[in-house]
Amino acid sequence: MKIAVQLLTWNGEAFLSDCLFSLANQSFKDWQIFVLDNHSTDSTVAIVNNWLNASHGSAKILPQNVGFARGHNILAKSHNAPYVFILN
């Protein structure tokens, strides 16, 4: 894996499907997604889990909102990719 795509989510159901669809349709394929959800109360977690079941990514669902910087730091510790693409 050359690129780790780090996606931090929080109540993003309105945009999440389009984001994941766009990622899945990239011509560059040497990447893996790592998702951290900051305790969403909408259907974000279900959307992420459904997509990850089909794409073999990784997700962490937190019981509390840890914010942007801490969330991405948690994700960065879960892989050793030489490049990181941060999404929020």
Side-chain angles (χ1 to χ4, degrees):
M1 164 188 52
K2 189 162 192 155
I3 298 175
V5 176
Q6 294 187 182
L7 174 60
L8 196 61
T9 60
W10 181 75
N11 291 339
E13 68 183 3
F15 308 103
L16 192 53
S17 291
D18 288 340
C19 175
L20 295 172
F21 179 79
S22 177
L23 282 171
N25 287 296
Q26 296 300 309
S27 58
F28 184 80
K29 299 297 182 190
D30 192 12
W31 60 272
Q32 184 177 355
I33 191 165
F34 297 85
V35 182
L36 185 140
D37 183 74
N38 262 330
H39 195 61
S40 290
T41 56
D42 63 3
S43 64
T44 295
V45 172
I47 293 167
V48 167
N49 284 331
N50 288 337
W51 193 81
L52 290 174
N53 285 338
S55 68
H56 310 292
S58 169
K60 293 178 186 279
I61 310 302
L62 298 182
Q64 64 186 21
N65 189 324
V66 297
F68 178 84
R70 185 171 176 205
H72 278 294
N73 285 336
I74 290 169
L75 286 174
K77 292 176 183 176
S78 66
H79 61 79
N80 60 356
Y83 300 101
V84 177
F85 181 63
I86 293 178
L87 290 173
N88 187 40

